[in-house]
Amino acid sequence: MRTLKRFFARTLNFVTGRRGDARLREEMEQHLAMQTDENIRAGMSFAEARRQARLQFGGVEVIREEFHAEGTLPLLENLLRDIRYALRQLHKSPGFTLTAVLTLALGIGATTAIFTLVQQVMLQSLPVTRPDQLWRIGDQPHCCNWAGYSQDGDGEPNDWNLFPWEAYKLFRANTPGFQDLAAVQMGHMPLAVRHAGSSGPPDTANGQYVSGNFFQTLGVSAWRGRLLIDADDQEGGPAVAVMSFHAWQEKYGSDPSVVGSTYQINGRAFTIVGVAPAGFAGAKMWNFGMPDIWMPLTTEPLMLGTTARIKSTRVDWLGLIGRVRPGTNPTVLQAQLQGELHGWLASHLADMNPQEKAVWQKQTLRLSPGGAGFSSFRRDYSEGLLLLMITACCVLLVACANIANLLLARGLRNRQQTAVRVALGASRARLVRNALLESITLSLIGGAAGVAVAWAGARLILYLAFHASGRSTWIPVQATPSTLVLLFALGVSLLTGVIFGIAPAWMTSHAEPVEALRGANREVGGSRHSAQKALVIAQAAVSLVLLSVAGMLGSSLRNLEHQNFGFDQDGRYLVYINSMLLSNHKQEQLVPLFREIQDRLRAIPGVRGVGSATYAPMSGQQWGHDIRIQGKPEPGPKNDVSADWTRITPGFFDTIGSRMLVGRAINEDDDGNTRHVAVINEAFAKKFFGNLNPIGQHFGPAPVKNAGTYEIVGVVQNIHYVSWAFRDPARTMYYIPEAQTVHFDQPDIEGDELWSQNLYNIVIWAPGHPANILMQVKKALAEVDPDLVIYDIQPYSRVIQGTFDQQNMIASLTWLFGAVGLVLAAIGLYGVTAYGVEQRTNEIGVRMALGADRGSVVAMVLRGAFGQVTIGLALGIPAAIGAGHLMASQLYEVTPWNPLLLAGATVFLGLAAVVAAAIPARRAASIDPIQALRSE
């Protein structure tokens, strides 16, 4: 208790500043007076008596220090005193402080900006109650549908991640380990929304079907109104929906009357019962748009009619996420779900094809933590963000080396002052502590400035990643630094201060008192200059690696954007439409509708061709299924017999500039009154027919009873249709006419057949980019059908550019980091060279006095500078090649040892070195020998 009281008393004295100095001085003065009087009585004079009294009393300052140590917190007081001293020292050198702060702001800001994205993309949980209690059934995010009773995850055969509605209901009813289990549509539903009774243009929106207990499972409360409940998710019940906070705020101006109002959503009346809370964007994080409206699963038949998937057991389209009960063992729960999956599959053995029957018992599912929801961000951006974090850390290391060099030069310049302090009794530990505190204080100031740089950098990254190509998709990733990001910046600042401060602090503190007697410009310990040169060498090596990495990524991006896609993007435009949202055209009306659309678009001046498709190349879609070849036996369970497909109009290949290799293209004669035909691509022909002539052969979607559905009439060159897998071989694909319809017995195939007749993309070929082409296209489409929903019209070149947004972001930022690293390295080289010239002023004066000309002096200085750069190159080139091997997955048709890229990076570094060393070299050449010798 006594110790605690003393601690509180010391703390109070420290905070209030009460230290009893006046009382202590008064008591000491009384003691001195009494001893002086006693000495006078002993026969001493007053002066001698006073002197002897002081000698007998002891050191006054020592007593005062001991008194302060007993009455306050000396360590904290000394720390604050040292910080004030560090701030005074920085204030005395504004040029040095400004240079150091800006350098640190760039290094810390770049690292913190990348961490801002890492934290939100890789580390952030859903803004829900206890996200640690959420678990997903499945371990891979998957979009959007899967057909059949077997699945393949990303590289994992027989791994289930999507489920039909029937399986969801089974899991929910029979798995007590889940407190709640919710289902989420893993694709999205395009919506056209307008207020009931309005005839104005609709708002386009993203919709998502969820189970009635979705919000309850996640533990989310409404911002306004209420959220969906189980009673809303009943067949035949009232159609209700919940709006996202972002949509309510951005599209409806936070109008409170939205809640309770009726809206026409795709022509069906829905009542908006509530608004989700701010910051909540759903459980599915995808980069092609977040949900604006959530609807109950049982409203899908109302929206889609005969193409609804909710009753189909062969269509897997739901992601499942649940909240486990406390104490539940995830391993036991996974085993139980595995048994339930097998039981459900066994109940559908009669519906399986031979391949599915062979593997149904091998089907597996895995539980995975669901606190982050169903996020594709981690999969899509993890490698890129890791690469950017490494490059940002390299920039930070270059910045640290720069500041260390500045501190070394500053410390060596002030070595006389340091030597005097040592001579007066300052300990080396105190000198190191002062120097370290100065560097940490400097780094904290730089870190504060770095937060502003990080905010601007994060905004730049978001722009490059999601908006540089003109996309307006909202993604719930913010540039504003969170508490975790601020703590990261603080930690990086402290660590940076220690890293760049410890060596200069240690070296400059080892000053001998005799150095105070030496001249200001004499050479001192060569080890200190060696340390400075080593830092410059490291900067040069790291800068070369950054420039080489930037060059490789830039070349890779250029190769990606200019590869042979199998079609010509020049002069082509891609139109995204939906004819079914509001118009409610019947199936038999679609063919005449698209023919009228194409006729109107062809009439626009400058348009040379128009072609429509269910989905066009690089539009972000992919439809596929297994096929069967007529006359060939049933394939084995491990055989890959899948193929992508789309529906097109006559003239489509001419419009996109793709060549027919064999046979003919789809033409106007391919209608409902002729045999069903198809055009296949070259990969399809090689995969299924080898060296045989495929013309006249027949195939169809599995099962084998459909093998005679289509007759092959032509082979077209491979067209890269999907917006991924650019390193993989061409995908097999076939094309069928828009005017032909096949009726299948299988509900899932029949549903796809009906869906595909709604053509979502129109390609327009208008060479030379006619004036106002976009406005003319919109006008022509509106004249055909005012209710036709037009999402976007883009030049195909911009579509291609948008496909590589992530690669463009990585390449652009790496170039930026490389440029910053190069500038910092040049500044470091300049500083060391200039300091070396200053230290060698006397030597240079002697050389010039003995006959050396200015050219030889310049050559001497440049030789020293380029010696350091050369060593840096010798270290940096192997490191750059190694970095290229490590990032091989990020490169496309670029080799890590490309001599042109390495030569280019070397030239850039060499030019920067010339500029950095030329200024000190000219200054050295202008030294007056007489003045240099006089300064000795």
Side-chain angles (χ1 to χ4, degrees):
M1 181 63 70
R2 181 178 300 175
T3 302
L4 189 61
K5 287 182 177 179
R6 289 181 63 191
F7 174 75
F8 281 125
R10 289 185 174 197
T11 304
L12 181 64
N13 289 338
F14 174 77
V15 173
T16 60
R18 297 187 313 190
R19 298 181 176 83
D21 282 350
R23 181 170 56 84
L24 177 63
R25 282 195 299 270
E26 183 179 347
E27 289 184 6
M28 288 192 297
E29 188 60 36
Q30 288 176 357
H31 280 286
L32 287 173
M34 292 172 61
Q35 186 63 44
T36 301
D37 290 343
E38 186 175 340
N39 290 341
I40 291 174
R41 286 194 296 270
M44 298 182 187
S45 65
F46 177 80
E48 181 62 20
R50 183 72 175 180
R51 189 178 74 84
Q52 291 297 328
R54 285 184 176 278
L55 291 174
Q56 293 175 14
F57 188 78
V60 173
E61 291 301 321
V62 174
I63 295 174
R64 289 185 64 190
E65 290 293 332
E66 292 176 353
F67 178 79
H68 288 160
E70 288 296 323
T72 183
L73 300 174
L75 291 178
L76 190 57
E77 185 175 332
N78 289 337
L79 178 63
L80 292 177
R81 186 183 299 118
D82 289 341
I83 291 175
R84 287 194 294 269
Y85 174 77
L87 290 173
R88 287 197 305 270
Q89 292 296 104
L90 295 176
H91 184 18
K92 285 182 180 178
S93 307
F96 163 81
T97 303
L98 181 61
T99 302
V101 167
L102 289 178
T103 301
L104 287 170
L106 289 174
I108 296 174
T111 310
T112 306
I114 302 302
F115 183 77
T116 301
L117 275 298
V118 170
Q119 186 259 331
Q120 297 202 37
V121 171
M122 306 294 294
L123 306 178
Q124 187 156 305
S125 299
L126 296 175
V128 299
T129 303
R130 291 296 303 273
D132 58 294
Q133 294 181 346
L134 296 176
W135 287 78
R136 290 193 294 115
I137 303 181
D139 58 348
Q140 297 290 339
H142 203 298
C143 175
C144 300
N145 302 291
W146 193 280
Y149 294 102
S150 64
Q151 285 188 25
D152 289 330
D154 292 343
E156 293 289 338
N158 308 316
D159 184 29
W160 279 63
N161 292 283
L162 298 176
F163 301 88
W165 187 53
E166 184 181 274
Y168 159 64
K169 291 194 299 179
L170 175 72
F171 291 161
R172 184 179 178 188
N174 295 281
T175 315
F178 281 116
Q179 182 177 318
D180 269 309
L181 182 64
V184 183
Q185 177 193 3
M186 289 306 290
H188 73 284
M189 179 69 185
L191 303 178
V193 183
R194 60 186 173 196
H195 202 283
S198 171
S199 59
D203 292 319
T204 58
N206 287 323
Q208 187 179 64
Y209 297 109
V210 296
S211 58
N213 66 338
F214 171 70
F215 295 101
Q216 173 185 311
T217 300
L218 297 182
V220 175
S221 301
W223 183 270
R224 279 188 176 272
R226 68 172 180 86
L227 302 178
L228 297 179
I229 56 176
D230 276 324
D232 298 320
D233 194 17
Q234 303 296 323
E235 296 179 74
V240 297
V242 170
M243 186 175 291
S244 74
F245 182 87
H246 179 264
W248 178 63
Q249 186 179 59
E250 295 295 324
K251 297 184 178 181
Y252 298 95
S254 303
D255 183 1
S257 67
V258 168
V259 177
S261 297
T262 301
Y263 284 81
Q264 290 291 321
I265 301 179
N266 291 7
R268 282 77 173 177
F270 276 76
T271 301
I272 304 297
V273 296
V275 175
F280 179 76
K284 185 173 80 73
M285 301 296 164
W286 233 260
N287 60 6
F288 55 73
M290 308 306 298
D292 300 308
I293 292 177
W294 291 278
M295 302 166 291
L297 287 172
T298 52
T299 61
E300 195 213 15
L302 172 67
M303 303 286 282
L304 301 181
T306 58
T307 60
R309 299 156 292 183
I310 193 168
K311 295 294 187 180
S312 174
T313 58
R314 286 191 60 85
V315 179
D316 311 323
W317 59 294
L318 299 175
L320 306 184
I321 186 169
R323 185 175 296 276
V324 299
R325 297 184 185 279
T328 301
N329 187 325
T331 304
V332 175
L333 182 59
Q334 177 176 296
Q336 181 182 353
L337 289 166
Q338 179 88 21
E340 293 173 9
L341 173 65
H342 284 171
W344 177 77
L345 289 171
S347 69
H348 289 282
L349 273 173
D351 303 325
M352 296 182 186
N353 60 40
Q355 287 72 34
E356 291 167 345
K357 289 180 181 179
V359 299
W360 74 271
Q361 290 179 311
K362 299 178 181 179
Q363 303 302 298
T364 62
L365 58 75
R366 295 180 176 88
L367 277 182
S368 59
F374 305 90
S375 176
S376 71
F377 289 164
R378 299 188 180 191
R379 177 192 63 195
D380 297 340
Y381 290 94
S382 59
E383 288 188 2
L385 287 177
L386 176 61
L387 176 60
L388 288 177
M389 179 59 80
I390 292 173
T391 56
C393 288
C394 288
V395 173
L396 182 60
L397 287 176
V398 174
C400 287
N402 231 355
I403 303 303
N405 257 334
L406 288 173
L407 288 175
L408 269 175
R410 187 164 177 262
L412 292 173
R413 187 175 290 112
N414 297 333
R415 65 186 181 276
Q416 289 181 309
Q417 176 186 345
T418 304
V420 170
R421 293 180 65 187
V422 172
L424 293 177
S427 67
R428 301 198 186 278
R430 179 65 179 268
L431 294 176
V432 170
R433 187 177 70 191
N434 284 347
L436 265 181
L437 275 176
E438 182 178 339
S439 64
I440 292 174
T441 302
L442 191 63
S443 68
L444 290 176
I445 298 173
V451 171
V453 174
W455 176 80
R459 287 177 62 89
L460 173 64
I461 295 171
L462 290 178
Y463 171 77
L464 292 173
F466 301 114
H467 304 296
S469 60
R471 292 189 299 174
S472 58
T473 302
W474 175 69
I475 301 294
V477 179
Q478 307 296 326
T480 305
S482 64
T483 302
L484 181 61
V485 171
L486 294 177
L487 290 175
F488 174 84
L490 175 62
V492 169
S493 300
L494 292 173
L495 182 62
T496 301
V498 173
I499 289 175
F500 71 67
I502 188 69
W506 179 258
M507 295 186 72
T508 56
S509 67
H510 278 61
E512 296 298 334
V514 70
E515 291 191 14
L517 303 177
R518 290 187 176 179
N521 291 326
R522 281 191 182 272
E523 282 282 357
V524 294
S527 62
R528 300 176 186 180
H529 293 306
S530 299
Q532 290 182 295
K533 293 177 181 178
L535 290 172
V536 171
I537 290 170
Q539 285 179 300
V542 173
S543 297
L544 181 69
V545 172
L546 287 175
L547 290 172
S548 299
V549 168
M552 286 186 281
L553 291 173
S555 297
S556 176
L557 176 63
R558 184 174 60 255
N559 293 341
L560 282 169
E561 292 180 334
H562 294 88
Q563 65 181 289
N564 180 15
F565 295 106
F567 67 95
D568 190 355
Q569 57 182 294
D570 186 40
R572 271 78 178 179
Y573 296 84
L574 183 59
V575 185
Y576 299 83
I577 65 168
N578 196 317
S579 62
M580 299 292 288
L581 295 188
L582 294 176
S583 300
N584 295 322
H585 294 289
K586 297 179 180 179
Q587 295 295 135
E588 61 270 16
Q589 295 175 318
L590 291 176
V591 173
L593 171 68
F594 283 103
R595 291 199 175 182
E596 183 180 359
I597 287 174
Q598 295 195 163
D599 290 341
R600 288 293 186 94
L601 293 176
R602 287 193 189 98
I604 296 175
V607 173
R608 292 182 57 182
V610 178
S612 303
T614 305
Y615 64 101
M618 311 291 285
S619 62
Q621 299 291 321
Q622 181 253 329
W623 292 26
H625 52 214
D626 287 349
I627 66 162
R628 299 293 183 266
I629 306 296
Q630 189 178 55
K632 290 193 175 184
E634 192 74 35
K638 294 184 179 181
N639 291 350
D640 179 15
V641 290
S642 63
D644 297 342
W645 66 284
T646 188
R647 192 179 293 275
I648 61 174
T649 59
F652 180 78
F653 295 128
D654 289 336
T655 300
I656 65 173
S658 295
R659 294 182 298 107
M660 294 297 301
L661 303 179
V662 180
R664 67 172 178 85
I666 290 169
N667 57 40
E668 298 288 349
D669 295 329
D670 298 319
D671 56 24
N673 299 320
T674 61
R675 71 190 188 284
H676 299 129
V677 300
V679 171
I680 63 174
N681 70 348
E682 189 177 5
F684 189 108
K686 289 183 178 180
K687 179 176 179 179
F688 293 106
F689 299 104
N691 295 325
L692 297 177
N693 183 4
I695 303 300
Q697 301 286 344
H698 292 78
F699 73 95
V704 72
K705 62 183 293 187
N706 299 324
T709 303
Y710 303 115
E711 179 180 327
I712 300 172
V713 296
V715 179
V716 71
Q717 71 177 109
N718 293 328
I719 302 171
H720 197 104
Y721 240 79
V722 297
S723 52
W724 60 90
F726 295 100
R727 297 172 180 84
D728 297 342
R731 300 171 69 93
T732 56
M733 189 157 189
Y734 69 92
Y735 307 81
I736 57 177
E738 190 267 344
Q740 292 184 345
T741 302
V742 180
H743 297 287
F744 296 97
D745 296 335
Q746 297 77 25
D748 55 323
I749 303 177
E750 178 67 12
D752 289 344
E753 181 74 9
L754 296 177
W755 265 103
S756 67
Q757 291 176 349
N758 182 26
L759 309 183
Y760 295 97
N761 292 146
I762 302 172
V763 180
I764 300 172
W765 180 20
H769 304 287
N772 299 322
I773 181 68
L774 302 184
M775 293 301 299
Q776 294 185 71
V777 169
K778 290 181 179 180
K779 181 181 178 182
L781 292 175
E783 289 174 352
V784 174
D785 185 353
D787 285 333
L788 195 68
V789 176
I790 306 171
Y791 293 111
D792 200 5
I793 304 175
Q794 288 188 333
Y796 235 117
S797 57
R798 187 175 297 171
V799 175
I800 302 298
Q801 179 186 351
T803 301
F804 304 112
D805 272 349
Q806 182 184 161
Q807 292 85 348
N808 179 55
M809 172 194 72
I810 295 171
S812 299
L813 291 176
T814 309
W815 271 115
L816 179 61
F817 291 158
V820 171
L822 182 65
V823 171
L824 292 179
I827 292 174
L829 180 62
Y830 165 79
V832 171
T833 306
Y835 179 74
V837 169
E838 179 183 344
Q839 295 299 307
R840 299 175 68 181
T841 298
N842 298 331
E843 176 194 341
I844 293 171
V846 171
R847 286 175 178 270
M848 296 184 73
L850 294 176
D853 58 12
R854 296 180 183 274
S856 62
V857 172
V858 170
M860 178 187 68
V861 175
L862 291 179
R863 191 163 49 249
F866 275 94
Q868 301 167 56
V869 173
T870 301
I871 298 174
L873 289 174
L875 297 175
I877 289 176
I881 295 175
H885 283 287
L886 292 176
M887 54 182 278
S889 63
Q890 296 284 325
L891 302 178
Y892 180 75
E893 295 185 353
V894 175
T895 57
W897 56 88
N898 189 315
L900 291 179
L901 292 178
L902 291 173
T906 302
V907 169
F908 271 113
L909 185 59
L911 290 175
V914 169
V915 174
I919 300 175
R922 289 188 61 186
R923 187 179 302 161
S926 63
I927 291 175
D928 184 353
I930 302 301
Q931 293 294 329
L933 295 175
R934 283 178 179 173
S935 66
E936 183 66 18

